[in-house]
Amino acid sequence: MRIEFHPEALDEFENAARYYAGCQEGLERRFITCVESALSRIQKIPDRYRIFEDDVRRCLTRVFPYAVLYTIEPDYLLIVAVMHCHREPGYWHHRLKS
């Protein structure tokens, strides 16, 4: 099943990678690899992860304090957020309406 990012989720992912690039050389590559690993796990078995809220599921990344929030659509998986786990909860709700 293909993966599509909500535009704001893709921005989040890119901004987090840029942040980690500024912290330590190579850290952004580790972050990207962790998120890509989570995406791969989601893609293999989309209903493996429990429903987090409404029909949004959550897959935690390893090492970094991030979660990939997604919905299972008829033809694709929609990544709603690449969320820092210490960020304000629910900030991504408006993305489900677009």
Side-chain angles (χ1 to χ4, degrees):
M1 191 173 277
R2 80 178 192 277
I3 290 178
E4 290 188 14
F5 278 82
H6 184 283
E8 290 180 58
L10 187 57
D11 286 345
E12 271 178 337
F13 184 24
E14 292 169 349
N15 289 336
R18 275 194 289 278
Y19 168 79
Y20 285 118
C23 291
Q24 179 182 342
E25 185 176 333
L27 193 57
E28 80 280 5
R29 286 188 298 272
R30 288 181 58 205
F31 173 73
I32 290 167
T33 298
C34 283
V35 173
E36 287 176 344
S37 174
L39 293 171
S40 178
R41 293 192 314 268
I42 291 166
Q43 198 169 27
K44 286 178 185 168
I45 309 172
D47 58 354
R48 171 182 182 184
Y49 298 95
R50 71 175 184 83
I51 294 177
F52 178 64
E53 193 171 315
D54 296 325
D55 65 341
V56 177
R57 294 173 183 268
R58 179 182 74 172
C59 175
L60 296 173
T61 63
R62 297 182 173 126
V63 180
F64 294 88
Y66 278 79
V68 176
L69 304 183
Y70 66 100
T71 61
I72 302 172
E73 303 299 325
D75 298 323
Y76 61 95
L77 301 169
L78 176 63
I79 306 304
V80 176
V82 178
M83 177 183 84
H84 191 288
C85 291
H86 299 290
R87 189 168 177 182
E88 180 182 335
Y91 73 92
W92 48 268
H93 284 159
H94 72 280
R95 298 177 188 176
L96 297 175
K97 296 176 180 129
S98 56

